[in-house]
Amino acid sequence: MTPELNLSRDPAHLRHGSNIGQPLSRVDGLAKVTGTARYAADNNPPGLLYAVTAVSSIARGRVVALDVDAAKAHPGVVEVMTPANRPALAGDPDGKPNPFAFRFEALQNDRVRYANQPIALVIAESLEAATEGAALLAPRYEAEPARIGLDAGDAYVPPVVGMGFPAESHHGDVEAALAGSDRQITATYETPAHYHNAMEPHAIVAEWQGDKLVIDTPTQGLVMMRGRLAELFGIAPESILIRSPYLGGGFGGKGFIAGPQILGILAAKLVGRPVKLVVRREQLYGPFGHRSPTRQTLRLGADGAGRLSGIHHHARIATSSFEDFYEAAAHVTHTLYAAEAIATTYDAVRMDTGTPLFVRAPGIAPGSIALESAVDEMAEACGLDPLAFRVKNYAEVEPSTGKPFSSKALRECYTQGAERFGWWERPLKARTMRDKDGFLVGWGMGTATFHALMFAGQARAVIRRDGSGVVESGAHDMGQGAWTAFAQIAADSLALELDQVTFKAGTSDLPDAGIAGGSAHTATVGTAIHNAGAAVIAKLAELATSDQRSPLFGAGNAGVIARNGRLLRRDDEGRGESYADILARAGLDQIEGSGSGVPDPAANEQYAMHSHGAVFAEVKVDPDLGQVRVTRMVGAFAAGRIINPKLVNSQLIGGMIWGISLALHEEAVTDRRTGRIMNANLGEYHVPVNADVPAIEAFTVAEHDPFVNPLGIKGVGEIGITGSAGAVANAVAHATGIRVRRFPVRISDLVRSGH
Amino acid sequence: MNWTVRLAVNGEPRTLALDDPRVTLLDLLRERLHLTGTKKGCDRGQCGACTVLVDGRRINSCLTLAVSLDGAAITTIEGLAQGDRLHPVQEAFIAHDALQCGFCTPGQIMSAVGLINEGQAGDDPERVREGMSGNLCRCSAYVGIVEAVRDAQATLTDKERAA
Amino acid sequence: MNRFDYVKPATVAEAIAAAGAPGAAYLASGTNLLDLMKGNVVRPERLVDITHIKELTRIETSGNGDVRIGALVRNADLAYDASFAKDFPAVAEALLSGASAQLRNAATVGGNLLQRTRCAYFYDTASACNKRAPGSGCDARDGENSQHAVLGWSEACIATNPSDFCVPLAAFDAVVEVEGASGRREVALEALHLLTGTTPDRESVLAPGELIVAIRLPAAARAFAKHARYLKVRERNSYAFAVVSAAAGLVLENGSIQQARLALGGVAAKPWRAHEAEALLAGQPAEHGSFERAAEAALREATPSGDNAYKIPLARQLIVRALQAAMQGTPSRMPALPASPFSAVPGALHDA
């Protein structure tokens, strides 16, 4: 039945005391501050054994020997799993049943294709025994030369990049535009490999209950993971239960199942007991994806007035030897600044690393730091203030497609952000600001942008006889606040208060919530919940309005509004009745509705959909020693409707700090001879610490978007990084007069070289 | 061979017969006592997720052998609240949204309690930042963490004054 | 981690007896040793847990004014000992700039002296490392070596000593008290660590089984208390090892330098005392030119061991900064970011 009450068009009439938009504290906060929130590795079922993987120290070749006897002789070791004895899989780890099934290593053979690849697994009665058992395997290899670095082999043009973009895209004639421009710059920027480094290492507790499989493992895509496991193990999806109520951070690293998790399940099968496998920190640098290193060359042309005529953004990227994933680093250039002609091109090399995959703000994070640096360099070449230059090149429509934006409050972000920061006091010339102690001070900015995506998700809503609600969706909370934001949407969708609604998420037996990624989870699942709530309210209205005994009889669905657990007549709000009364009279225990959240193809055809923002950064640099500190940062963001400003603020600030990290700190250092990552630890793979993050604030500007989805949600998970990394890099250049084009900026780049 | 280790864990005296001297305090808590609030982020003293108090001092439980702690009093995140009444640091973490994924949170909170006990930071945000720098947060809730620590410290100071 | 025999002596004598067994290692707090064991970098057969030896936990001042710090005093306790911090402020600042609060609460001063290098090739058991596996080679030499030594290195090893604490100890003539099967002896801190030479596996002059029981700071080092700093350059503003660090102390009279003390960290396999620079400073006016000449002298012998030439001007400039900061005077309170260049030093910037 199509509800006449068209809730999907205007949700506002449903709201009473409006949960959406309230800065509520995290509903899972209590569990998290008391240590009772149960993450995957916190499960200790009876009979548990511990598994630890041994990983390869070469990047390419074969394992020719493992000292299984030594491992087995270690007290407490129960079994050693190698390619020789690991239970069979129904599916092929090297198969490609769908584009999101990434190839992995689960001891299918003796091949090594990157350093840190699992090559065996030891199962023991204690973690200590399993750990030592793995060390005692002392593998011997036949090594082949490792191919490492962006010049590792012959570059080729990848078939597609990112989520199916063409590797070569032209809008207008960029060569002609550049040739005809008054000013041109060409600059090459490099970004290193980044690893997700969520605080929670990947972990799995796997238990076979006959043919049924129960696992605890953190995942950003419950139902997708279940489908992949069903295919790999040759069992029905319904025979698999995955529990993932809390993820200790995801950032893209927990989107897809990886070899070590499969090995944990296989180990449980091999020994017929539950097995816990927690991946050691250093072993995370391999099988779980990373952000490809990039080398990006930007060529920009501008006219005498500082208007961009052409941008060519070329990215050299890397993938693994056995899988195709191409970081769409250049694509941000199609959507951000108005230029007559825009071209993006890519080439790629294959390296002996794990497959690069999605990392927070895939493509755009490395692309944005290069683009924002280049735009700053051009602004400087034109003698213009960086913000004035950006405003001059403001894209009123999406540059490459000519589509109007579904909404774009970037101008307001520029204005309000600049005002809050005090940007207009900035001297144009670099290396002219000092603080009272003589440290160099620099101000930089960057434009933030991220596409407003939706995937496909489902939700179920129930109103129970007592008038309370239950809303279910297999959604994922990796820290972004899903437990809270979805509860708020759920309450509003049922016109109930938050404490009258039970929201269930985090297990694979709930409706498919799609994947938590692409900053699309709130939009996708939020829409599904919203629609499920609307469906159940419509059913309830149908019951009431068609029942002569109801005060709502004859009102018609469109004549009814839901408010505070009651349905009311639109034309006379004094007449109405509670959900409980309606259900009681109908003799129903509960009434149920379902809804889905999917993108609207027509709207997507017509409009370009993106979030935007403006980030302003101040850095101090020691002029002699080259040490940098970000001292102040302001981010203004336009991201459609904000479900929970408190949590969104945390998300945005967190993203901005990732921006600091990209600009100044994080980098995987790989030995080119061996392919081993030499800083595969949190001591030397630097992510920012508290002392790296002084005053920083984020705020959102009002933005109403009637086209992205019924609730107007655009997503905030990733946009905070974009713009921020460039803002910090530009601030360093402004402070020092030194333009560093290889990130992160290091002390060696800025230390005074003279005497 | 078994090693006898007597510990007071969250105020409860325990005598443990440890069959392996390799067991760290962290693995003892998580895998043997099933006090899983304390987290393992790196197992190498590089992230702070495993922070607990030993005799009132914050330390990394991953780099401490349980067998060496005979006679010590251990406080973990599970031992902080008094029944249903949260510790002021716990309350402040919720109020200031000083957490996202929550995985580093028990370590952050124990570290904050340790920091306040040490009494070296005062209300200086810069000293709090430095004093909390041994606890990584990849979600980067640092701003809220500093606010929460200062807020909780003020609450505790007020309580002391009142007492 | 390998299995090991665990013993817990109650006295120094018992400890030394227990450590006589082959493959034995002393366990203090274990912040470094357990890390190394987890990485299988070291695999001791026996751990002699000395943490319960009460006699090693005291800070005492002896009759001649020397301060004697028991080897098991925790880094944080020493740094926060008000009287110690007042007399030896650069040592306290170095301690508080190291690692994290949690690690400082656990780590002991004796253990800190024997902290192993952070060279990634030493930690990576699949790499060739003459320090870890004598004769296997040095993969750092042509590897990722931007953090490696620029002074006193050899073809066999280019690793650096990562300790912050040892740098001011070297500068201020600390003495290490050592006890072994053949009795007690003293070693100047500066002579404790060995340069790599052809035997980088030998890191100190300690004989097998010898135990550090105390560190002594001479009474004379108090003379520098009003003008002493430790500064540390790093890629993260806290919780990171030094790229280069420097401890500086001055005794000033009417703007002239009576005595100077200077040592560098992060540049060599040992804390690097700059004697020649100190000699050049003595008797000179406390001004920029003197500091620059000293810096020049301190780095005269420096050569890159790889992709680390930047460390040489960095170390020079840091010396100048540290001397300038020392000249301006020890801050009345420990800076909020101990040892940070951003712990404001008005007017100390070279090009300001």
Side-chain angles (χ1 to χ4, degrees), chain B residues 118 120, chain C residues 75-83 85 92 96 104-105:
Chain B
E118 288 156 17
Q120 298 288 340
Chain C
N75 283 9
D77 291 340
L78 183 60
Y80 290 134
D81 183 289
S83 143
L96 292 177
R104 296 192 292 268
N105 273 343

PDB file of all heavy atoms in Angstrom, chain B residues 118 120, chain C residues 75-83 85 92 96 104-105:
ATOM      1  N   GLU B 118      48.266  12.710  39.856  1.00  0.00           N
ATOM      2  CA  GLU B 118      49.642  13.211  39.851  1.00  0.00           C
ATOM      3  C   GLU B 118      49.690  14.685  40.223  1.00  0.00           C
ATOM      4  O   GLU B 118      50.680  15.158  40.784  1.00  0.00           O
ATOM      5  CB  GLU B 118      50.279  12.994  38.472  1.00  0.00           C
ATOM      6  CG  GLU B 118      50.590  11.530  38.188  1.00  0.00           C
ATOM      7  CD  GLU B 118      50.672  11.214  36.694  1.00  0.00           C
ATOM      8  OE1 GLU B 118      50.814  12.143  35.881  1.00  0.00           O
ATOM      9  OE2 GLU B 118      50.575  10.018  36.348  1.00  0.00           O
ATOM     10  N   GLN B 120      50.048  17.392  38.482  1.00  0.00           N
ATOM     11  CA  GLN B 120      51.078  18.217  37.861  1.00  0.00           C
ATOM     12  C   GLN B 120      50.537  19.151  36.790  1.00  0.00           C
ATOM     13  O   GLN B 120      51.213  20.083  36.373  1.00  0.00           O
ATOM     14  CB  GLN B 120      52.153  17.309  37.226  1.00  0.00           C
ATOM     15  CG  GLN B 120      52.888  16.437  38.222  1.00  0.00           C
ATOM     16  CD  GLN B 120      53.835  17.229  39.100  1.00  0.00           C
ATOM     17  OE1 GLN B 120      54.241  18.340  38.767  1.00  0.00           O
ATOM     18  NE2 GLN B 120      54.177  16.675  40.254  1.00  0.00           N
TER      19      GLN B 120
ATOM     20  N   ASN C  75      61.389   6.931  36.548  1.00  0.00           N
ATOM     21  CA  ASN C  75      61.686   8.194  35.856  1.00  0.00           C
ATOM     22  C   ASN C  75      60.818   9.338  36.366  1.00  0.00           C
ATOM     23  O   ASN C  75      61.303  10.435  36.621  1.00  0.00           O
ATOM     24  CB  ASN C  75      61.450   8.026  34.355  1.00  0.00           C
ATOM     25  CG  ASN C  75      62.568   7.264  33.674  1.00  0.00           C
ATOM     26  OD1 ASN C  75      63.450   6.709  34.334  1.00  0.00           O
ATOM     27  ND2 ASN C  75      62.531   7.228  32.355  1.00  0.00           N
ATOM     28  N   ALA C  76      59.514   9.076  36.503  1.00  0.00           N
ATOM     29  CA  ALA C  76      58.603  10.152  36.907  1.00  0.00           C
ATOM     30  C   ALA C  76      58.915  10.604  38.328  1.00  0.00           C
ATOM     31  O   ALA C  76      58.873  11.803  38.627  1.00  0.00           O
ATOM     32  CB  ALA C  76      57.155   9.677  36.807  1.00  0.00           C
ATOM     33  N   ASP C  77      59.237   9.649  39.191  1.00  0.00           N
ATOM     34  CA  ASP C  77      59.494  10.022  40.585  1.00  0.00           C
ATOM     35  C   ASP C  77      60.728  10.905  40.707  1.00  0.00           C
ATOM     36  O   ASP C  77      60.771  11.821  41.528  1.00  0.00           O
ATOM     37  CB  ASP C  77      59.658   8.763  41.448  1.00  0.00           C
ATOM     38  CG  ASP C  77      58.344   8.018  41.593  1.00  0.00           C
ATOM     39  OD1 ASP C  77      57.290   8.650  41.379  1.00  0.00           O
ATOM     40  OD2 ASP C  77      58.377   6.807  41.888  1.00  0.00           O
ATOM     41  N   LEU C  78      61.716  10.610  39.889  1.00  0.00           N
ATOM     42  CA  LEU C  78      62.914  11.440  39.927  1.00  0.00           C
ATOM     43  C   LEU C  78      62.600  12.836  39.377  1.00  0.00           C
ATOM     44  O   LEU C  78      62.967  13.847  39.968  1.00  0.00           O
ATOM     45  CB  LEU C  78      64.040  10.778  39.122  1.00  0.00           C
ATOM     46  CG  LEU C  78      65.372  11.532  39.144  1.00  0.00           C
ATOM     47  CD1 LEU C  78      65.908  11.671  40.567  1.00  0.00           C
ATOM     48  CD2 LEU C  78      66.406  10.844  38.261  1.00  0.00           C
ATOM     49  N   ALA C  79      61.897  12.859  38.254  1.00  0.00           N
ATOM     50  CA  ALA C  79      61.608  14.158  37.621  1.00  0.00           C
ATOM     51  C   ALA C  79      60.756  15.036  38.517  1.00  0.00           C
ATOM     52  O   ALA C  79      60.887  16.255  38.513  1.00  0.00           O
ATOM     53  CB  ALA C  79      60.914  13.936  36.285  1.00  0.00           C
ATOM     54  N   TYR C  80      59.848  14.414  39.275  1.00  0.00           N
ATOM     55  CA  TYR C  80      58.936  15.181  40.128  1.00  0.00           C
ATOM     56  C   TYR C  80      59.469  15.359  41.554  1.00  0.00           C
ATOM     57  O   TYR C  80      58.797  15.952  42.388  1.00  0.00           O
ATOM     58  CB  TYR C  80      57.551  14.531  40.158  1.00  0.00           C
ATOM     59  CG  TYR C  80      56.805  14.651  38.847  1.00  0.00           C
ATOM     60  CD1 TYR C  80      56.147  13.560  38.287  1.00  0.00           C
ATOM     61  CD2 TYR C  80      56.750  15.875  38.172  1.00  0.00           C
ATOM     62  CE1 TYR C  80      55.455  13.677  37.078  1.00  0.00           C
ATOM     63  CE2 TYR C  80      56.065  16.003  36.966  1.00  0.00           C
ATOM     64  CZ  TYR C  80      55.428  14.893  36.423  1.00  0.00           C
ATOM     65  OH  TYR C  80      54.758  15.019  35.237  1.00  0.00           O
ATOM     66  N   ASP C  81      60.659  14.850  41.825  1.00  0.00           N
ATOM     67  CA  ASP C  81      61.270  15.107  43.125  1.00  0.00           C
ATOM     68  C   ASP C  81      61.710  16.577  43.136  1.00  0.00           C
ATOM     69  O   ASP C  81      62.615  16.981  42.394  1.00  0.00           O
ATOM     70  CB  ASP C  81      62.476  14.165  43.314  1.00  0.00           C
ATOM     71  CG  ASP C  81      63.111  14.332  44.685  1.00  0.00           C
ATOM     72  OD1 ASP C  81      63.759  15.381  44.930  1.00  0.00           O
ATOM     73  OD2 ASP C  81      62.955  13.423  45.507  1.00  0.00           O
ATOM     74  N   ALA C  82      61.029  17.368  43.955  1.00  0.00           N
ATOM     75  CA  ALA C  82      61.183  18.825  43.855  1.00  0.00           C
ATOM     76  C   ALA C  82      62.636  19.256  44.052  1.00  0.00           C
ATOM     77  O   ALA C  82      63.159  20.095  43.318  1.00  0.00           O
ATOM     78  CB  ALA C  82      60.272  19.506  44.865  1.00  0.00           C
ATOM     79  N   SER C  83      63.280  18.651  45.024  1.00  0.00           N
ATOM     80  CA  SER C  83      64.637  19.071  45.312  1.00  0.00           C
ATOM     81  C   SER C  83      65.578  18.669  44.168  1.00  0.00           C
ATOM     82  O   SER C  83      66.445  19.442  43.748  1.00  0.00           O
ATOM     83  CB  SER C  83      65.024  18.469  46.660  1.00  0.00           C
ATOM     84  OG  SER C  83      66.359  18.093  46.661  1.00  0.00           O
ATOM     85  N   ALA C  85      64.711  18.209  41.003  1.00  0.00           N
ATOM     86  CA  ALA C  85      64.402  19.000  39.816  1.00  0.00           C
ATOM     87  C   ALA C  85      64.957  20.414  39.938  1.00  0.00           C
ATOM     88  O   ALA C  85      65.333  21.030  38.953  1.00  0.00           O
ATOM     89  CB  ALA C  85      62.893  19.026  39.582  1.00  0.00           C
ATOM     90  N   ALA C  92      65.644  16.705  34.831  1.00  0.00           N
ATOM     91  CA  ALA C  92      64.203  16.542  35.005  1.00  0.00           C
ATOM     92  C   ALA C  92      63.471  16.811  33.692  1.00  0.00           C
ATOM     93  O   ALA C  92      62.541  16.100  33.320  1.00  0.00           O
ATOM     94  CB  ALA C  92      63.694  17.478  36.100  1.00  0.00           C
ATOM     95  N   LEU C  96      61.103  14.213  31.547  1.00  0.00           N
ATOM     96  CA  LEU C  96      59.691  14.475  31.258  1.00  0.00           C
ATOM     97  C   LEU C  96      59.418  14.633  29.768  1.00  0.00           C
ATOM     98  O   LEU C  96      58.259  14.684  29.357  1.00  0.00           O
ATOM     99  CB  LEU C  96      59.219  15.709  32.028  1.00  0.00           C
ATOM    100  CG  LEU C  96      59.168  15.516  33.551  1.00  0.00           C
ATOM    101  CD1 LEU C  96      58.756  16.814  34.235  1.00  0.00           C
ATOM    102  CD2 LEU C  96      58.194  14.386  33.931  1.00  0.00           C
ATOM    103  N   ARG C 104      56.824   6.674  31.872  1.00  0.00           N
ATOM    104  CA  ARG C 104      57.702   7.308  32.865  1.00  0.00           C
ATOM    105  C   ARG C 104      57.362   6.851  34.280  1.00  0.00           C
ATOM    106  O   ARG C 104      58.222   6.825  35.152  1.00  0.00           O
ATOM    107  CB  ARG C 104      57.593   8.838  32.769  1.00  0.00           C
ATOM    108  CG  ARG C 104      58.072   9.414  31.467  1.00  0.00           C
ATOM    109  CD  ARG C 104      58.207  10.928  31.537  1.00  0.00           C
ATOM    110  NE  ARG C 104      56.951  11.636  31.669  1.00  0.00           N
ATOM    111  CZ  ARG C 104      56.221  12.105  30.658  1.00  0.00           C
ATOM    112  NH1 ARG C 104      56.624  11.900  29.411  1.00  0.00           N
ATOM    113  NH2 ARG C 104      55.101  12.760  30.869  1.00  0.00           N
ATOM    114  N   ASN C 105      56.088   6.527  34.488  1.00  0.00           N
ATOM    115  CA  ASN C 105      55.698   6.018  35.810  1.00  0.00           C
ATOM    116  C   ASN C 105      56.267   4.643  36.076  1.00  0.00           C
ATOM    117  O   ASN C 105      56.400   4.227  37.229  1.00  0.00           O
ATOM    118  CB  ASN C 105      54.167   5.932  35.901  1.00  0.00           C
ATOM    119  CG  ASN C 105      53.547   7.238  36.357  1.00  0.00           C
ATOM    120  OD1 ASN C 105      54.229   8.095  36.891  1.00  0.00           O
ATOM    121  ND2 ASN C 105      52.253   7.379  36.150  1.00  0.00           N
TER     122      ASN C 105
END
